[in-house]
Amino acid sequence: MGKENGFTSSRNQGFRLNRDDGYFKNLGVDVMAFDDIYPEGHQSGVSIIMHGNRVATNGDIRFEQTPGQWQPVPKQGDRELDETTNTIATTLSFPDSSRHLKGFNPMIYPDFQFNYKVIVQGEGASVKVTVDLDRPIPDKFVGKLSFNLELFPGALFGKPWIMDNKHGIFPEQPNGPLLSQPSNSPHAGNFSEPDAKADPKLLSGDNKAYNPMIADDLIAEPYAIGKRFTVRPDDPYNRFTIESKGAELKLYDGRMNHNNGWFAISSEVPAGAASRAIEWVITPNVVEDWIYPAVVQTSQVGYHPKQTKTAIIELDERDRKRQKPVLYKYTENGAEQVLAAEGEEWGRFLRYRYLKFDFTNIREEGLYKVQYGASESSVFRIAGDVYDRGVWQPVLEYFLPVQMCHMRVSEKYRVWHGHCHHDDARMAPVNLNHFDGYEQGPSTLTTYKPGEVVPGLNIGGWHDAGDFDLRIESQSGEFYTLALAYEAFNVYYDATTIDQNRRIVEIHQPDGKNDILQQIEHGVLSVVGAYRALGRLYRGIIESDLRQYVHLGDSASMLGDRWVFTEDNPPRELTAAAHLAAASRALKDFNPTLSNQSLQSACEIYSVTDGTGHARTAKIHAAAELYLATGERSYKDFLLSEADYIVESIDKVGWFIARAEQAMNDAGFTSKIRDALPALKDRLTRLIAETPYGIPYRPHIWGAGWGIQKLGFEYYFLHKAYPEWFDSEMIFNALNFVLGCHPGSNTMSFASGVGAHSATVGYGLNRADWSYIPGGVISGTALIRPDFPELLVFPYLWQQVEYVLGGGSTHFMFIALAAQQLTRGME
């Protein structure tokens, strides 16, 4: 070990396995093997991270050279790390029929099941990958069963590659010609298919020439075939070579038959092969003096003069040199230094070390940046009106209007989408497991038979993300957050015309009505309308076939009949009842009829739904909101009877009980709640201390942004009710996290169009255009296991850049409004 240029280094060590980290390291290059769990989302198998960027992933066996998210995936077994032999050996079996993650279609399986082992071994400057099968593959799978490694396309457009003596440039769009699959392809009928008796469109879709429910018959012809392949020969920081010791390498473009596909380098498993069926040697170029550049993380929007202001500085763990962070203010003559101070050492989190630079005492309004060595933040404001325009407002001004279903949505000359889904909806078939996770049991639970049109469902609601479906938790959760925001902050904002009679929305055309109330109304129209028609809540409304489900673009061109699903789910039903009760309060003067219908629906659901077991918390939630809506003694008595359980579950129920407790004005109940607060405060204090951001960061698959916003939303009510126990810092920390102060080198604001640098490529209806919807809030920085935070600029990574309903944008709107309210109180 040596120390040069301010950082420790280990020259010429080669790729060594570190059991504590769980992967191979060689200075600034890492090779991971089966640490991650999400192949459908391009996160699994053998992965390569070079000098701070993930360049390749999903190194594993597949039944296609360019698989999509619905194709079969393997099931991972034992993963053994051996530092003595410098290997990671992983056993797998194919296929994994137990996958239940969103996007996986359990109805398609190959009829060949087998076990195999992938051995990854560090050998000096290279990593060798060997695949051993437990048996040779059947002849009909020769030419199909392959070992693939996917290459991130967003970093490769216009960049060069070399295959033996052939060379080329990675194209912006997939280019033909197309390659027909061989006649012995598993695509020709060796996959089981779902039962289409209930609706033939389940298999065929409206376009019988294309059916993504089963594997496609065409792929792009490979760009090159050879034995030695080099990516990015022009760039030492991203150059790596793959050499196959057996089967040929083929370079494919996975975007030809899947819009969200990646480039893939693939070797077909040879006929008769078992042991060493695949042997690759991967040699990434290692820049020996590279060190992860410091990243200066601040809010992309800025700060109120009197709020806490802390820049987080993210450093390579090998970096031992420390410099002084410097705060600059911009004037007409350029940048002037206003503060330089030692950064506070926080310690290690994930793979990085962190410094904190506090500039809270700087209160003069203006434009600023923080610089650390050669790295600097984006420009941000310090101003008393920092939250007053263009922060929470785009959620109401753009995102919610654009997502409105059953409407035509225009913005001056632009049509976001036409009048859509006017034929909603038909009752779903019974005994159906839908590909997006909806399940219809043996009964419709209504008087409607499968296939019958259910009236009253072609109104209200918002499209969820890019899927266009209406889930009950998304719809009710959205108008619930809006209703609580309206109550807490007295929001009035009018930038949009919403005409329910003519089914039109005109963005930036005020109509004299409060937009937030119009949006609450729009969500309640869907949920209450369906409840009154069905006699119960819907589970959701969604496209019946996958061809329509994967639709990109204008929702008005979605021609398939949608299905409405029902379910018996007391926790979800009671939670929706709580949401309806809160919405009834907001709509009381704006739409008295709908308000009464909403409250009546909530009361009925509460009275007929069992609140025991897993539904107990939801029953308490519904009782709390119904008491606040009605003041009726029965709801108060129920809450009093559940006092002991509420105390035991204070970490789950405290945020909504806080409002009810104050309204109930019962001394004994109040005493019990307050006695439980110290333990809740201690728990939240531990959570805050987990990261340098003062907020927990625990992503599973999707980025953690939505969960952090939800935590900030719920914490607000604890702060307002019990400020002596819960200060306001977690609210600001949650907001700053979303606005740019989060792990990883991409410090963009998760809120599209909000802040100096934001997510302007999002997973929404216009994702195929590499565009965004202002006010949409993406899922945010994901974790590439075990320790690499990542936020790519790529429109098809739903787990990083997806917009959702049910709290994503509205929770952000809420905590931004909370920050606005709290800072006004500081003046």
Side-chain angles (χ1 to χ4, degrees):
M1 298 288 288
K3 185 173 182 180
E4 301 177 17
N5 300 323
F7 68 95
T8 58
S9 65
S10 301
R11 293 186 180 274
N12 301 317
Q13 67 171 354
F15 283 96
R16 298 297 306 171
L17 173 62
N18 183 302
R19 177 172 287 275
D20 292 336
D21 293 318
Y23 54 87
F24 300 94
K25 287 186 174 185
N26 188 0
L27 298 179
V29 179
D30 307 318
V31 177
M32 298 168 173
F34 298 93
D35 257 317
D36 227 325
I37 59 173
Y38 196 37
E40 300 92 328
H42 308 278
Q43 287 181 212
S44 80
V46 178
S47 298
I48 305 172
I49 296 174
M50 296 186 66
H51 308 106
N53 298 303
R54 185 167 63 116
V55 299
T57 191
N58 271 11
D60 200 357
I61 291 286
R62 292 290 187 275
F63 275 89
E64 302 84 18
Q65 292 92 339
T66 59
Q69 70 190 81
W70 285 279
Q71 268 62 55
V73 294
K75 181 177 182 178
Q76 185 170 320
D78 293 334
R79 179 175 179 268
E80 299 178 356
L81 285 68
D82 189 329
E83 288 180 296
T84 303
T85 59
N86 204 32
T87 60
I88 299 175
T90 307
T91 58
L92 302 106
S93 56
F94 218 114
D96 181 4
S97 60
S98 66
R99 303 285 286 190
H100 293 294
L101 298 173
K102 180 179 179 182
F104 175 68
N105 174 23
M107 296 181 285
I108 308 170
Y109 307 118
D111 60 3
F112 173 53
Q113 297 185 355
F114 63 99
N115 301 314
Y116 64 100
K117 179 177 286 188
V118 180
I119 302 100
V120 183
Q121 182 173 30
E123 293 188 343
S126 302
V127 172
K128 184 170 73 173
V129 179
T130 305
V131 180
D132 293 334
L133 308 180
D134 68 348
R135 72 192 76 173
I137 65 174
D139 289 344
K140 64 185 177 182
F141 292 106
V142 174
K144 286 303 302 170
L145 197 67
S146 307
F147 184 86
N148 303 331
L149 183 68
E150 297 178 355
L151 314 178
F152 174 56
L156 294 177
F157 299 144
K159 307 303 181 184
W161 54 263
I162 298 172
M163 178 82 82
D164 293 351
N165 296 320
K166 186 177 176 62
H167 46 79
I169 305 294
F170 290 101
E172 292 276 354
Q173 72 288 324
N175 296 319
L178 296 177
L179 179 68
S180 296
Q181 297 290 358
S183 60
N184 63 351
S185 164
H187 299 194
N190 294 303
F191 289 81
S192 62
E193 299 174 348
D195 183 4
K197 292 179 181 179
D199 188 339
K201 290 187 299 180
L202 180 61
L203 282 183
S204 65
D206 291 320
N207 181 355
K208 295 180 185 300
Y210 174 71
N211 174 25
M213 182 67 76
I214 59 175
D216 297 304
D217 294 328
L218 298 172
I219 60 175
E221 183 176 303
Y223 290 125
I225 300 174
K227 285 297 190 75
R228 186 176 175 87
F229 174 66
T230 299
V231 180
R232 296 297 307 273
D234 63 319
D235 182 359
Y237 295 94
N238 291 285
R239 182 172 68 244
F240 65 97
T241 296
I242 301 173
E243 183 178 3
S244 177
K245 298 298 186 180
E248 290 179 314
L249 299 169
K250 297 182 179 181
L251 174 61
Y252 290 98
D253 194 333
R255 300 171 299 156
M256 181 60 75
N257 52 338
H258 303 288
N259 294 85
N260 57 7
W262 291 24
F263 295 112
I265 188 74
S266 178
S267 283
E268 297 159 11
V269 175
S275 177
R276 298 185 179 275
I278 298 293
E279 284 190 87
W280 282 9
V281 177
I282 303 174
T283 308
N285 184 64
V286 177
V287 179
E288 294 199 350
D289 61 353
W290 179 86
I291 189 169
Y292 179 71
V295 180
V296 182
Q297 300 162 351
T298 59
S299 166
Q300 295 289 337
V301 165
Y303 307 88
H304 186 277
K306 293 187 178 180
Q307 78 176 89
T308 300
K309 311 175 197 72
T310 305
I312 307 297
I313 301 167
E314 188 175 81
L315 301 169
D316 193 309
E317 67 170 335
R318 299 173 295 152
D319 190 349
R320 295 295 180 260
K321 183 180 179 181
R322 292 293 181 266
Q323 303 179 62
K324 280 188 178 182
V326 180
L327 178 69
Y328 290 91
K329 181 182 180 183
Y330 283 98
T331 70
E332 294 178 351
N333 299 316
E336 298 179 355
Q337 179 177 320
V338 295
L339 177 67
E342 298 290 344
E344 177 190 354
E345 293 278 352
W346 187 88
R348 180 174 174 175
F349 176 61
L350 299 176
R351 60 171 49 202
Y352 302 117
R353 300 195 70 82
Y354 290 87
L355 299 178
K356 301 180 75 170
F357 173 53
D358 190 314
F359 54 100
T360 300
N361 291 333
I362 303 300
R363 297 187 174 184
E364 185 176 356
E365 296 196 358
L367 298 168
Y368 292 85
K369 72 173 180 180
V370 174
Q371 186 163 332
Y372 180 86
S375 302
E376 61 183 35
S377 71
S378 298
V379 176
F380 58 86
R381 298 173 66 214
I382 295 178
D385 63 351
V386 71
Y387 301 115
D388 290 355
R389 186 171 184 179
V391 183
W392 57 265
Q393 295 85 348
V395 178
L396 273 181
E397 195 170 332
Y398 287 97
F399 182 72
L400 288 175
V402 169
Q403 298 301 117
M404 292 173 79
C405 188
H406 305 116
M407 308 289 274
R408 182 184 191 273
V409 182
S410 302
E411 180 191 355
K412 305 306 180 183
Y413 309 142
R414 178 181 192 175
V415 177
W416 280 91
H417 65 76
H419 179 199
C420 61
H421 302 114
H422 52 82
D423 54 356
D424 273 342
R426 293 182 183 273
M427 180 57 66
V430 296
N431 299 314
L432 175 67
N433 185 348
H434 188 271
F435 47 81
D436 196 35
Y438 291 84
E439 293 185 44
Q440 189 71 26
S443 167
T444 68
L445 304 176
T446 72
T447 59
Y448 295 96
K449 297 178 181 179
E452 287 187 345
V453 174
V454 181
L457 303 189
N458 61 343
I459 188 170
W462 303 274
H463 298 139
D464 193 6
D467 305 342
F468 297 102
D469 62 328
L470 312 182
R471 293 175 181 261
I472 183 61
E473 65 270 36
S474 299
Q475 305 304 306
S476 68
E478 199 78 350
F479 64 65
Y480 179 61
T481 307
L482 291 170
L484 295 192
Y486 175 72
E487 288 184 331
F489 311 117
N490 193 29
V491 178
Y492 185 88
Y493 198 76
D494 180 19
T496 310
T497 291
I498 299 175
D499 190 326
Q500 293 289 348
N501 293 324
R502 294 191 295 155
R503 304 296 183 100
I504 63 170
V505 176
E506 295 284 352
I507 295 173
H508 295 154
Q509 186 68 42
D511 61 0
K513 298 179 182 179
N514 192 348
D515 289 347
I516 193 170
L517 292 177
Q518 288 179 293
Q519 290 295 344
I520 295 169
E521 175 187 60
H522 192 70
V524 173
L525 282 170
S526 174
V527 174
V528 168
Y531 180 80
R532 290 167 65 84
L534 293 166
R536 64 182 308 111
L537 295 170
Y538 59 56
R539 170 67 190 97
I541 302 172
I542 192 168
E543 296 300 329
S544 59
D545 65 90
L546 194 58
R547 176 57 171 145
Q548 292 294 321
Y549 176 82
V550 299
H551 174 88
L552 293 173
D554 190 342
S555 54
S557 63
M558 301 176 76
L559 303 177
D561 289 333
R562 296 206 292 186
W563 283 340
V564 56
F565 286 75
T566 58
E567 66 173 353
D568 182 12
N569 189 319
R572 196 140 45 209
E573 291 158 11
L574 286 165
T575 299
H579 298 170
L580 286 165
S584 74
R585 301 194 300 266
L587 294 175
K588 187 174 182 179
D589 297 324
F590 183 77
N591 188 334
T593 299
L594 187 60
S595 173
N596 290 334
Q597 292 173 349
S598 183
L599 183 58
Q600 181 182 359
S601 300
C603 293
E604 290 177 0
I605 295 167
Y606 177 87
S607 65
V608 301
T609 307
D610 180 30
T612 60
H614 294 300
R616 192 174 183 181
T617 298
K619 187 87 170 184
I620 292 168
H621 191 183
E625 294 296 352
L626 282 165
Y627 178 73
L628 291 171
T630 68
E632 291 183 7
R633 180 77 194 190
S634 61
Y635 301 119
K636 179 178 180 178
D637 288 344
F638 175 77
L639 293 173
L640 292 174
S641 72
E642 289 282 32
D644 290 342
Y645 177 80
I646 289 171
V647 167
E648 294 170 7
S649 308
I650 195 69
D651 58 326
K652 299 182 183 68
V653 307
W655 68 274
F656 61 75
I657 283 297
R659 287 175 294 121
E661 177 266 307
Q662 294 189 325
M664 288 162 62
N665 194 28
D666 183 280
F669 186 75
T670 295
S671 178
K672 287 185 176 182
I673 297 299
R674 287 186 171 270
D675 287 346
L677 295 180
L680 178 57
K681 170 65 174 177
D682 289 345
R683 177 181 178 275
L684 291 172
T685 299
R686 290 193 298 272
L687 287 176
I688 290 172
E690 286 183 355
T691 74
Y693 303 98
I695 209 79
Y697 174 73
R698 298 175 177 179
H700 176 53
I701 291 173
W702 274 256
W706 301 329
I708 289 169
Q709 290 168 178
K710 183 174 184 287
L711 180 61
F713 159 72
E714 294 177 353
Y715 182 87
Y716 168 83
F717 295 104
L718 292 172
H719 166 69
K720 292 299 290 185
Y722 314 113
E724 68 275 25
W725 286 103
F726 307 99
D727 63 30
S728 62
E729 282 307 298
M730 186 181 285
I731 301 168
F732 289 108
N733 291 344
L735 181 61
N736 290 339
F737 188 97
V738 175
L739 289 175
C741 208
H742 46 247
S745 60
N746 192 335
T747 60
M748 70 168 65
S749 161
F750 297 164
S752 291
V754 177
H757 172 53
S758 71
T760 52
V761 175
Y763 189 94
L765 65 89
N766 54 352
R767 59 188 178 275
D769 302 317
W770 286 66
S771 192
Y772 69 104
I773 304 170
V777 179
I778 65 172
S779 35
T781 307
L783 183 66
I784 307 304
R785 283 173 171 74
D787 63 1
F788 182 67
E790 179 183 79
L791 180 53
L792 295 173
V793 178
F794 192 65
Y796 298 109
L797 279 179
W798 51 85
Q799 70 270 34
Q800 296 186 22
V801 295
E802 184 178 14
Y803 304 132
V804 294
L805 270 292
S809 292
T810 48
H811 281 157
F812 165 75
M813 174 182 165
F814 189 99
I815 58 176
L817 280 162
Q820 184 183 48
Q821 181 191 72
L822 292 167
T823 53
R824 284 176 177 171
M826 297 175 181
E827 295 173 353

